[in-house]
Amino acid sequence: GDHRDLHSFPTRRSSDLGLATYRELIRNLSVKSKPEGGALAMVLDRWISSVQTATAKTSGVNVDDPMFAQLVEQRIMAIVHQMHELVHGFDFARLLTLYYRAFTEGDDELKGKVLKWFRGEYATKTEARQELGVSVIISDDDWYDYLKLLAFFFRQAGYQGLLVFIDELVNVRSEEHTSELQSLRHLV
């Protein structure tokens, strides 16, 4: 059949397929070792561990050396810098860096807040600014851009990509979304 990647999706905004769909996709995110969903934290943790392992192999610096954390952060910055060119990439990269710092400091509260942001659960920019110091949230207008960033990130994290399955598309009845519906059907 006709296969399309995320870049060929014809629109970036849809009230029917918006933020609620994004939240559901993230909530059901699964990987082979966590098929029941809710795998976002595991994917982020695995990514950080792989960067730490690669840093240890290439730098020769002992993991206990204070310089090691600095080298890992530099490597993470180099990886996330590639995202800056993508739409909302700078914000996404900033949140990944915050997650890394929370990971290394054992700050589960901050990790939880960053995960909340990635899941699109901040209702207002004010709330995100107060809790994370960022003035952007995932919304109905840009959820699709963040889905593409997640796909890019998955490649960086060592996965082959992000495969999106959306079932029950027949429930989308609006005439104006017919082309979106067709594109999503081809995506699967």
Side-chain angles (χ1 to χ4, degrees), residues 47-106:
W47 173 65
I48 291 169
S49 296
S50 70
V51 172
Q52 289 173 325
T53 301
T55 302
K57 282 181 184 174
T58 59
S59 71
V61 175
N62 191 309
V63 179
D64 299 325
D65 189 316
M67 197 174 140
F68 181 75
Q70 190 177 354
L71 290 172
V72 171
E73 188 153 342
Q74 286 173 0
R75 191 177 207 126
I76 285 176
M77 290 299 190
I79 292 167
V80 298
H81 184 73
Q82 299 170 26
M83 297 181 162
H84 288 199
E85 295 173 16
L86 304 171
V87 177
H88 301 296
F90 180 80
D91 303 313
F92 193 91
R94 202 163 149 207
L95 270 294
L96 283 176
T97 305
L98 268 178
Y99 190 88
Y100 167 71
R101 290 191 182 136
F103 179 92
T104 57
E105 295 164 11

CSV table of all heavy atoms in Angstrom, one decimal, residues 47-106:
chain,number,residue,atom,x,y,z
A,47,TRP,N,18.0,6.0,27.3
A,47,TRP,CA,18.8,7.0,26.5
A,47,TRP,C,19.9,7.5,27.3
A,47,TRP,O,21.1,7.5,26.8
A,47,TRP,CB,17.9,8.1,25.9
A,47,TRP,CG,18.6,9.1,25.2
A,47,TRP,CD1,19.3,9.0,24.0
A,47,TRP,CD2,18.7,10.5,25.6
A,47,TRP,NE1,19.8,10.3,23.7
A,47,TRP,CE2,19.5,11.2,24.6
A,47,TRP,CE3,18.3,11.2,26.7
A,47,TRP,CZ2,19.8,12.5,24.7
A,47,TRP,CZ3,18.6,12.6,26.8
A,47,TRP,CH2,19.3,13.2,25.8
A,48,ILE,N,19.6,8.0,28.5
A,48,ILE,CA,20.7,8.6,29.3
A,48,ILE,C,21.7,7.5,29.7
A,48,ILE,O,22.9,7.8,29.6
A,48,ILE,CB,20.0,9.2,30.6
A,48,ILE,CG1,19.2,10.4,30.3
A,48,ILE,CG2,21.1,9.5,31.6
A,48,ILE,CD1,18.3,10.9,31.4
A,49,SER,N,21.3,6.3,30.0
A,49,SER,CA,22.2,5.2,30.3
A,49,SER,C,23.1,4.9,29.1
A,49,SER,O,24.3,4.7,29.3
A,49,SER,CB,21.5,4.0,30.7
A,49,SER,OG,20.8,4.2,31.9
A,50,SER,N,22.6,4.9,27.9
A,50,SER,CA,23.4,4.7,26.7
A,50,SER,C,24.4,5.8,26.4
A,50,SER,O,25.5,5.5,26.0
A,50,SER,CB,22.5,4.4,25.5
A,50,SER,OG,21.9,5.6,25.1
A,51,VAL,N,24.0,7.0,26.7
A,51,VAL,CA,24.9,8.1,26.6
A,51,VAL,C,26.0,8.0,27.6
A,51,VAL,O,27.2,8.2,27.3
A,51,VAL,CB,24.2,9.5,26.7
A,51,VAL,CG1,25.2,10.7,26.7
A,51,VAL,CG2,23.2,9.7,25.5
A,52,GLN,N,25.7,7.6,28.8
A,52,GLN,CA,26.7,7.4,29.9
A,52,GLN,C,27.7,6.3,29.5
A,52,GLN,O,28.9,6.5,29.6
A,52,GLN,CB,26.0,7.1,31.2
A,52,GLN,CG,25.3,8.3,31.8
A,52,GLN,CD,24.5,7.9,33.1
A,52,GLN,OE1,23.9,6.9,33.2
A,52,GLN,NE2,24.4,8.9,34.0
A,53,THR,N,27.2,5.2,29.0
A,53,THR,CA,28.0,4.1,28.5
A,53,THR,C,28.9,4.5,27.4
A,53,THR,O,30.1,4.2,27.5
A,53,THR,CB,27.1,2.9,28.1
A,53,THR,OG1,26.3,2.5,29.2
A,53,THR,CG2,28.0,1.7,27.7
A,54,ALA,N,28.4,5.2,26.4
A,54,ALA,CA,29.2,5.7,25.3
A,54,ALA,C,30.3,6.6,25.8
A,54,ALA,O,31.4,6.6,25.3
A,54,ALA,CB,28.3,6.3,24.2
A,55,THR,N,29.9,7.5,26.7
A,55,THR,CA,30.9,8.5,27.2
A,55,THR,C,32.0,7.7,28.0
A,55,THR,O,33.2,8.1,27.8
A,55,THR,CB,30.2,9.5,28.2
A,55,THR,OG1,29.2,10.1,27.4
A,55,THR,CG2,31.2,10.5,28.7
A,56,ALA,N,31.7,6.8,28.8
A,56,ALA,CA,32.7,6.0,29.5
A,56,ALA,C,33.6,5.3,28.6
A,56,ALA,O,34.8,5.3,28.8
A,56,ALA,CB,32.0,5.0,30.4
A,57,LYS,N,33.1,4.7,27.5
A,57,LYS,CA,33.9,4.0,26.5
A,57,LYS,C,34.9,4.9,25.8
A,57,LYS,O,36.0,4.6,25.6
A,57,LYS,CB,33.0,3.2,25.5
A,57,LYS,CG,32.4,2.0,26.0
A,57,LYS,CD,31.6,1.3,24.9
A,57,LYS,CE,30.9,0.1,25.5
A,57,LYS,NZ,30.0,-0.5,24.5
A,58,THR,N,34.4,6.0,25.3
A,58,THR,CA,35.2,6.9,24.5
A,58,THR,C,36.1,7.9,25.2
A,58,THR,O,37.1,8.3,24.7
A,58,THR,CB,34.3,7.7,23.5
A,58,THR,OG1,33.4,8.5,24.3
A,58,THR,CG2,33.5,6.8,22.6
A,59,SER,N,35.7,8.2,26.5
A,59,SER,CA,36.5,9.2,27.2
A,59,SER,C,37.6,8.7,28.0
A,59,SER,O,38.6,9.3,28.3
A,59,SER,CB,35.6,10.1,28.1
A,59,SER,OG,35.1,9.3,29.2
A,60,GLY,N,37.4,7.4,28.5
A,60,GLY,CA,38.4,6.8,29.4
A,60,GLY,C,38.3,7.4,30.8
A,60,GLY,O,39.1,7.1,31.7
A,61,VAL,N,37.4,8.3,31.0
A,61,VAL,CA,37.2,9.0,32.4
A,61,VAL,C,36.4,8.0,33.3
A,61,VAL,O,35.4,7.5,32.8
A,61,VAL,CB,36.5,10.3,32.2
A,61,VAL,CG1,36.3,11.0,33.6
A,61,VAL,CG2,37.4,11.3,31.4
A,62,ASN,N,36.8,7.9,34.5
A,62,ASN,CA,36.1,7.0,35.4
A,62,ASN,C,34.7,7.6,35.8
A,62,ASN,O,34.6,8.8,35.9
A,62,ASN,CB,36.9,6.9,36.7
A,62,ASN,CG,36.4,5.8,37.7
A,62,ASN,OD1,35.2,5.8,38.0
A,62,ASN,ND2,37.3,4.9,38.1
A,63,VAL,N,33.7,6.7,35.9
A,63,VAL,CA,32.3,7.1,36.2
A,63,VAL,C,32.2,7.9,37.5
A,63,VAL,O,31.4,8.8,37.6
A,63,VAL,CB,31.4,5.9,36.2
A,63,VAL,CG1,30.0,6.3,36.5
A,63,VAL,CG2,31.5,5.1,35.0
A,64,ASP,N,33.1,7.7,38.4
A,64,ASP,CA,33.1,8.4,39.7
A,64,ASP,C,33.7,9.8,39.6
A,64,ASP,O,33.6,10.6,40.5
A,64,ASP,CB,33.8,7.6,40.8
A,64,ASP,CG,33.1,6.2,41.0
A,64,ASP,OD1,31.8,6.2,40.9
A,64,ASP,OD2,33.8,5.2,41.3
A,65,ASP,N,34.5,10.0,38.6
A,65,ASP,CA,35.2,11.3,38.4
A,65,ASP,C,34.1,12.4,38.2
A,65,ASP,O,33.2,12.2,37.3
A,65,ASP,CB,36.1,11.2,37.2
A,65,ASP,CG,37.0,12.4,37.0
A,65,ASP,OD1,36.5,13.5,37.2
A,65,ASP,OD2,38.2,12.2,36.7
A,66,PRO,N,34.3,13.5,38.9
A,66,PRO,CA,33.3,14.6,38.7
A,66,PRO,C,33.2,15.1,37.3
A,66,PRO,O,32.2,15.6,36.8
A,66,PRO,CB,33.8,15.7,39.6
A,66,PRO,CG,34.7,15.0,40.6
A,66,PRO,CD,35.2,13.8,40.0
A,67,MET,N,34.3,15.0,36.5
A,67,MET,CA,34.4,15.4,35.2
A,67,MET,C,33.5,14.5,34.3
A,67,MET,O,33.0,15.0,33.2
A,67,MET,CB,35.8,15.4,34.6
A,67,MET,CG,36.0,16.2,33.4
A,67,MET,SD,37.8,16.2,33.0
A,67,MET,CE,37.7,16.0,31.3
A,68,PHE,N,33.2,13.3,34.7
A,68,PHE,CA,32.4,12.4,33.9
A,68,PHE,C,31.0,12.9,33.6
A,68,PHE,O,30.5,12.9,32.5
A,68,PHE,CB,32.3,11.0,34.6
A,68,PHE,CG,31.5,10.0,33.8
A,68,PHE,CD1,32.0,9.4,32.7
A,68,PHE,CD2,30.2,9.7,34.2
A,68,PHE,CE1,31.2,8.5,31.9
A,68,PHE,CE2,29.4,8.8,33.5
A,68,PHE,CZ,30.0,8.2,32.3
A,69,ALA,N,30.3,13.4,34.7
A,69,ALA,CA,29.0,14.0,34.5
A,69,ALA,C,29.0,15.2,33.5
A,69,ALA,O,28.1,15.3,32.7
A,69,ALA,CB,28.4,14.5,35.9
A,70,GLN,N,30.1,16.0,33.6
A,70,GLN,CA,30.2,17.1,32.7
A,70,GLN,C,30.4,16.6,31.2
A,70,GLN,O,29.8,17.2,30.3
A,70,GLN,CB,31.4,17.9,33.1
A,70,GLN,CG,31.5,19.3,32.4
A,70,GLN,CD,32.7,20.1,32.9
A,70,GLN,OE1,33.4,19.7,33.9
A,70,GLN,NE2,33.0,21.2,32.2
A,71,LEU,N,31.1,15.6,31.0
A,71,LEU,CA,31.3,15.0,29.7
A,71,LEU,C,30.0,14.4,29.1
A,71,LEU,O,29.7,14.6,28.0
A,71,LEU,CB,32.4,13.9,29.7
A,71,LEU,CG,33.8,14.4,29.9
A,71,LEU,CD1,34.8,13.2,30.1
A,71,LEU,CD2,34.3,15.2,28.7
A,72,VAL,N,29.3,13.8,30.0
A,72,VAL,CA,28.0,13.2,29.6
A,72,VAL,C,27.0,14.3,29.2
A,72,VAL,O,26.4,14.3,28.2
A,72,VAL,CB,27.3,12.3,30.7
A,72,VAL,CG1,25.9,11.9,30.4
A,72,VAL,CG2,28.2,11.1,31.0
A,73,GLU,N,27.0,15.4,30.0
A,73,GLU,CA,26.1,16.5,29.7
A,73,GLU,C,26.5,17.2,28.4
A,73,GLU,O,25.7,17.5,27.6
A,73,GLU,CB,26.1,17.5,30.8
A,73,GLU,CG,25.1,18.6,30.6
A,73,GLU,CD,24.5,19.2,31.9
A,73,GLU,OE1,24.7,18.7,33.0
A,73,GLU,OE2,24.0,20.3,31.7
A,74,GLN,N,27.8,17.3,28.1
A,74,GLN,CA,28.3,17.8,26.8
A,74,GLN,C,27.8,17.0,25.7
A,74,GLN,O,27.4,17.5,24.6
A,74,GLN,CB,29.8,17.9,26.8
A,74,GLN,CG,30.4,19.1,27.7
A,74,GLN,CD,31.9,19.0,27.8
A,74,GLN,OE1,32.6,18.1,27.2
A,74,GLN,NE2,32.5,20.0,28.5
A,75,ARG,N,27.9,15.7,25.9
A,75,ARG,CA,27.5,14.7,24.8
A,75,ARG,C,26.0,14.9,24.6
A,75,ARG,O,25.5,14.9,23.4
A,75,ARG,CB,27.9,13.3,25.2
A,75,ARG,CG,27.7,12.4,24.0
A,75,ARG,CD,28.2,11.0,24.5
A,75,ARG,NE,28.6,10.3,23.3
A,75,ARG,CZ,29.8,9.7,23.1
A,75,ARG,NH1,30.6,9.7,24.1
A,75,ARG,NH2,30.0,9.1,22.0
A,76,ILE,N,25.2,15.0,25.7
A,76,ILE,CA,23.7,15.1,25.5
A,76,ILE,C,23.4,16.5,24.8
A,76,ILE,O,22.6,16.5,24.0
A,76,ILE,CB,23.1,15.1,26.9
A,76,ILE,CG1,23.0,13.6,27.4
A,76,ILE,CG2,21.7,15.7,26.9
A,76,ILE,CD1,22.5,13.4,28.8
A,77,MET,N,24.2,17.5,25.2
A,77,MET,CA,24.0,18.8,24.5
A,77,MET,C,24.2,18.7,23.0
A,77,MET,O,23.5,19.3,22.2
A,77,MET,CB,24.9,19.9,25.1
A,77,MET,CG,24.5,20.3,26.5
A,77,MET,SD,22.8,21.0,26.5
A,77,MET,CE,22.7,21.6,28.2
A,78,ALA,N,25.2,18.0,22.7
A,78,ALA,CA,25.6,17.8,21.2
A,78,ALA,C,24.4,17.1,20.5
A,78,ALA,O,24.1,17.4,19.4
A,78,ALA,CB,26.9,17.0,21.1
A,79,ILE,N,23.9,16.1,21.2
A,79,ILE,CA,22.7,15.3,20.6
A,79,ILE,C,21.5,16.2,20.5
A,79,ILE,O,20.9,16.3,19.4
A,79,ILE,CB,22.4,14.0,21.4
A,79,ILE,CG1,23.6,13.1,21.3
A,79,ILE,CG2,21.2,13.4,20.9
A,79,ILE,CD1,23.6,11.9,22.3
A,80,VAL,N,21.1,16.9,21.6
A,80,VAL,CA,19.9,17.6,21.5
A,80,VAL,C,20.0,18.9,20.7
A,80,VAL,O,19.1,19.4,20.2
A,80,VAL,CB,19.4,18.0,22.9
A,80,VAL,CG1,19.0,16.7,23.7
A,80,VAL,CG2,20.3,18.9,23.7
A,81,HIS,N,21.3,19.4,20.5
A,81,HIS,CA,21.5,20.5,19.6
A,81,HIS,C,21.0,20.3,18.2
A,81,HIS,O,20.5,21.2,17.6
A,81,HIS,CB,23.0,20.9,19.6
A,81,HIS,CG,23.2,22.2,18.8
A,81,HIS,ND1,22.9,23.4,19.3
A,81,HIS,CD2,23.8,22.4,17.6
A,81,HIS,CE1,23.2,24.3,18.4
A,81,HIS,NE2,23.7,23.7,17.4
A,82,GLN,N,21.1,19.0,17.8
A,82,GLN,CA,20.6,18.7,16.4
A,82,GLN,C,19.0,18.9,16.3
A,82,GLN,O,18.5,19.1,15.2
A,82,GLN,CB,20.8,17.2,16.2
A,82,GLN,CG,22.3,16.8,16.2
A,82,GLN,CD,22.4,15.3,16.1
A,82,GLN,OE1,21.6,14.6,15.6
A,82,GLN,NE2,23.5,14.8,16.6
A,83,MET,N,18.4,18.9,17.5
A,83,MET,CA,16.9,19.2,17.5
A,83,MET,C,16.5,20.6,17.3
A,83,MET,O,15.4,20.9,17.0
A,83,MET,CB,16.3,18.7,18.8
A,83,MET,CG,16.5,17.2,19.0
A,83,MET,SD,15.7,16.7,20.5
A,83,MET,CE,15.5,15.0,20.3
A,84,HIS,N,17.5,21.5,17.6
A,84,HIS,CA,17.2,23.0,17.5
A,84,HIS,C,16.6,23.4,16.2
A,84,HIS,O,15.9,24.4,16.1
A,84,HIS,CB,18.4,23.8,17.9
A,84,HIS,CG,18.7,23.7,19.4
A,84,HIS,ND1,19.5,24.6,20.0
A,84,HIS,CD2,18.4,22.8,20.3
A,84,HIS,CE1,19.6,24.2,21.3
A,84,HIS,NE2,19.0,23.1,21.5
A,85,GLU,N,17.0,22.7,15.1
A,85,GLU,CA,16.6,23.1,13.8
A,85,GLU,C,15.1,22.7,13.5
A,85,GLU,O,14.5,23.3,12.7
A,85,GLU,CB,17.5,22.5,12.7
A,85,GLU,CG,18.9,23.0,12.8
A,85,GLU,CD,19.8,22.2,11.9
A,85,GLU,OE1,19.3,21.6,11.0
A,85,GLU,OE2,21.0,22.4,12.1
A,86,LEU,N,14.6,21.8,14.3
A,86,LEU,CA,13.3,21.3,14.1
A,86,LEU,C,12.3,22.2,14.8
A,86,LEU,O,12.6,22.9,15.8
A,86,LEU,CB,13.1,19.9,14.7
A,86,LEU,CG,14.1,18.8,14.1
A,86,LEU,CD1,14.0,17.5,14.9
A,86,LEU,CD2,13.8,18.6,12.7
A,87,VAL,N,11.0,22.2,14.4
A,87,VAL,CA,10.0,23.1,15.0
A,87,VAL,C,9.9,22.7,16.5
A,87,VAL,O,9.7,21.5,16.8
A,87,VAL,CB,8.7,22.9,14.2
A,87,VAL,CG1,7.6,23.7,14.9
A,87,VAL,CG2,8.8,23.3,12.8
A,88,HIS,N,10.0,23.6,17.3
A,88,HIS,CA,9.9,23.4,18.8
A,88,HIS,C,11.1,22.6,19.3
A,88,HIS,O,11.0,22.1,20.5
A,88,HIS,CB,8.6,22.8,19.2
A,88,HIS,CG,7.4,23.6,18.9
A,88,HIS,ND1,7.1,24.8,19.4
A,88,HIS,CD2,6.4,23.3,18.0
A,88,HIS,CE1,6.0,25.3,18.9
A,88,HIS,NE2,5.5,24.4,18.0
A,89,GLY,N,12.1,22.4,18.5
A,89,GLY,CA,13.2,21.6,18.9
A,89,GLY,C,14.0,22.1,20.1
A,89,GLY,O,14.5,21.4,21.0
A,90,PHE,N,14.1,23.4,20.2
A,90,PHE,CA,14.8,24.1,21.3
A,90,PHE,C,14.2,23.7,22.6
A,90,PHE,O,14.8,23.4,23.6
A,90,PHE,CB,14.9,25.6,21.1
A,90,PHE,CG,15.7,26.3,22.2
A,90,PHE,CD1,17.1,26.3,22.2
A,90,PHE,CD2,15.0,26.9,23.2
A,90,PHE,CE1,17.8,26.9,23.2
A,90,PHE,CE2,15.7,27.5,24.2
A,90,PHE,CZ,17.1,27.5,24.2
A,91,ASP,N,12.8,23.9,22.7
A,91,ASP,CA,12.1,23.6,23.9
A,91,ASP,C,12.2,22.1,24.3
A,91,ASP,O,12.4,21.8,25.4
A,91,ASP,CB,10.6,24.0,23.7
A,91,ASP,CG,10.4,25.4,23.3
A,91,ASP,OD1,11.1,26.3,24.0
A,91,ASP,OD2,9.7,25.7,22.4
A,92,PHE,N,12.1,21.3,23.3
A,92,PHE,CA,12.2,19.8,23.5
A,92,PHE,C,13.5,19.5,24.1
A,92,PHE,O,13.6,18.7,25.0
A,92,PHE,CB,11.9,19.1,22.2
A,92,PHE,CG,11.7,17.6,22.3
A,92,PHE,CD1,10.4,17.1,22.4
A,92,PHE,CD2,12.7,16.7,22.2
A,92,PHE,CE1,10.2,15.8,22.5
A,92,PHE,CE2,12.5,15.4,22.3
A,92,PHE,CZ,11.2,14.9,22.5
A,93,ALA,N,14.6,20.0,23.5
A,93,ALA,CA,15.9,19.8,23.9
A,93,ALA,C,16.1,20.3,25.4
A,93,ALA,O,16.8,19.6,26.2
A,93,ALA,CB,16.9,20.5,23.0
A,94,ARG,N,15.5,21.4,25.7
A,94,ARG,CA,15.7,22.0,27.0
A,94,ARG,C,15.0,21.0,28.1
A,94,ARG,O,15.5,20.8,29.1
A,94,ARG,CB,15.0,23.3,27.1
A,94,ARG,CG,15.4,24.2,28.2
A,94,ARG,CD,15.0,25.6,27.9
A,94,ARG,NE,14.8,26.3,29.2
A,94,ARG,CZ,14.0,27.3,29.4
A,94,ARG,NH1,13.3,27.8,28.4
A,94,ARG,NH2,13.9,27.8,30.6
A,95,LEU,N,13.9,20.5,27.7
A,95,LEU,CA,13.2,19.5,28.6
A,95,LEU,C,14.0,18.2,28.8
A,95,LEU,O,14.1,17.7,29.8
A,95,LEU,CB,11.8,19.2,28.1
A,95,LEU,CG,10.7,20.1,28.6
A,95,LEU,CD1,10.4,20.0,30.1
A,95,LEU,CD2,10.8,21.6,28.2
A,96,LEU,N,14.6,17.8,27.7
A,96,LEU,CA,15.5,16.6,27.8
A,96,LEU,C,16.6,16.8,28.7
A,96,LEU,O,17.0,16.0,29.5
A,96,LEU,CB,16.0,16.2,26.4
A,96,LEU,CG,15.1,15.5,25.5
A,96,LEU,CD1,15.7,15.2,24.1
A,96,LEU,CD2,14.6,14.1,26.0
A,97,THR,N,17.2,18.0,28.6
A,97,THR,CA,18.3,18.4,29.5
A,97,THR,C,17.9,18.5,31.0
A,97,THR,O,18.6,18.0,31.9
A,97,THR,CB,18.9,19.7,29.1
A,97,THR,OG1,19.3,19.6,27.7
A,97,THR,CG2,20.2,20.1,29.9
A,98,LEU,N,16.7,19.0,31.2
A,98,LEU,CA,16.1,19.0,32.6
A,98,LEU,C,15.9,17.6,33.1
A,98,LEU,O,16.2,17.3,34.2
A,98,LEU,CB,14.8,19.8,32.6
A,98,LEU,CG,14.7,21.2,32.8
A,98,LEU,CD1,13.3,21.8,32.7
A,98,LEU,CD2,15.3,21.6,34.2
A,99,TYR,N,15.5,16.7,32.2
A,99,TYR,CA,15.2,15.4,32.6
A,99,TYR,C,16.6,14.7,33.0
A,99,TYR,O,16.7,14.0,34.0
A,99,TYR,CB,14.6,14.6,31.5
A,99,TYR,CG,14.1,13.2,32.0
A,99,TYR,CD1,12.9,13.0,32.6
A,99,TYR,CD2,14.9,12.1,31.9
A,99,TYR,CE1,12.5,11.8,33.0
A,99,TYR,CE2,14.5,10.8,32.3
A,99,TYR,CZ,13.3,10.7,32.9
A,99,TYR,OH,12.9,9.5,33.4
A,100,TYR,N,17.6,15.0,32.2
A,100,TYR,CA,18.9,14.4,32.5
A,100,TYR,C,19.4,14.9,33.8
A,100,TYR,O,19.9,14.1,34.6
A,100,TYR,CB,19.9,14.8,31.4
A,100,TYR,CG,21.4,14.5,31.8
A,100,TYR,CD1,21.8,13.2,31.9
A,100,TYR,CD2,22.2,15.5,32.2
A,100,TYR,CE1,23.1,12.9,32.3
A,100,TYR,CE2,23.5,15.3,32.6
A,100,TYR,CZ,24.0,14.0,32.7
A,100,TYR,OH,25.2,13.7,33.1
A,101,ARG,N,19.3,16.2,34.1
A,101,ARG,CA,19.7,16.7,35.4
A,101,ARG,C,19.0,16.0,36.6
A,101,ARG,O,19.5,15.7,37.6
A,101,ARG,CB,19.6,18.2,35.5
A,101,ARG,CG,20.6,18.8,34.5
A,101,ARG,CD,20.8,20.3,34.7
A,101,ARG,NE,21.7,20.8,33.8
A,101,ARG,CZ,21.6,21.9,33.0
A,101,ARG,NH1,20.5,22.6,33.1
A,101,ARG,NH2,22.5,22.3,32.2
A,102,ALA,N,17.7,15.9,36.4
A,102,ALA,CA,16.8,15.2,37.4
A,102,ALA,C,17.3,13.8,37.6
A,102,ALA,O,17.3,13.3,38.7
A,102,ALA,CB,15.4,15.3,37.0
A,103,PHE,N,17.6,13.1,36.5
A,103,PHE,CA,18.1,11.7,36.5
A,103,PHE,C,19.3,11.6,37.3
A,103,PHE,O,19.5,10.7,38.2
A,103,PHE,CB,18.3,11.3,35.1
A,103,PHE,CG,18.8,9.8,34.9
A,103,PHE,CD1,17.9,8.8,34.8
A,103,PHE,CD2,20.1,9.6,34.9
A,103,PHE,CE1,18.3,7.5,34.6
A,103,PHE,CE2,20.6,8.3,34.7
A,103,PHE,CZ,19.7,7.2,34.6
A,104,THR,N,20.3,12.5,37.0
A,104,THR,CA,21.6,12.4,37.7
A,104,THR,C,21.6,12.8,39.2
A,104,THR,O,22.3,12.3,40.0
A,104,THR,CB,22.7,13.2,37.0
A,104,THR,OG1,22.3,14.6,36.9
A,104,THR,CG2,23.0,12.7,35.6
A,105,GLU,N,20.6,13.7,39.5
A,105,GLU,CA,20.5,14.2,40.9
A,105,GLU,C,19.6,13.3,41.7
A,105,GLU,O,19.4,13.6,42.9
A,105,GLU,CB,20.1,15.6,40.9
A,105,GLU,CG,21.2,16.6,40.3
A,105,GLU,CD,20.7,17.9,39.9
A,105,GLU,OE1,19.5,18.3,40.3
A,105,GLU,OE2,21.4,18.7,39.3
A,106,GLY,N,18.9,12.4,41.0
A,106,GLY,CA,17.9,11.5,41.7
A,106,GLY,C,16.7,12.3,42.2
A,106,GLY,O,16.0,12.0,43.2
